[in-house]
Amino acid sequence: MNPRLRAVALGLMTIVAVGCSRPGPEAAGGAGDAGGASPPTVVDRAAAVAHAIQADTAAADSILAAHGLTRAGLDSLMYEIAADSALARAYAEAIR
């Protein structure tokens, strides 16, 4: 695994750890849906890429291209998820 892909994998693990360790106030309320179609799409896309890369790390660039992403685009997507605690929790659940 090259250093760049290893860094992305470490970032994914960090997001999972943060999402699982700090429940927000909406978690106590029960139905804390992020609302709208965009957040689930972002999480679903990132989770699909993560699962595919985990299954075949040698084909990472092809997997990214199939999802319309570059390595920089994946980084941006992961930063977007990490910046929102609800998205981070949803992502953590999606990649389990």
Side-chain angles (χ1 to χ4, degrees):
M1 186 182 303
N2 70 35
R4 176 86 171 156
L5 194 54
R6 193 172 301 209
V8 170
L10 179 62
L12 293 172
M13 289 185 287
T14 302
I15 290 170
V16 169
V18 170
C20 291
S21 66
R22 295 191 302 169
E26 64 275 359
D33 187 22
S38 182
T41 302
V42 170
V43 169
D44 292 342
R45 184 177 187 195
V49 170
H51 284 136
I53 290 174
Q54 185 178 20
D56 187 6
T57 56
D61 289 326
S62 299
I63 292 166
L64 291 173
H67 289 275
L69 292 169
T70 61
R71 291 177 185 225
L74 179 60
D75 285 347
S76 296
L77 186 65
M78 297 314 298
Y79 280 119
E80 179 182 346
I81 292 171
D84 184 319
S85 62
L87 290 178
R89 276 191 300 283
Y91 177 76
E93 289 296 319
I95 62 168
R96 285 186 186 192

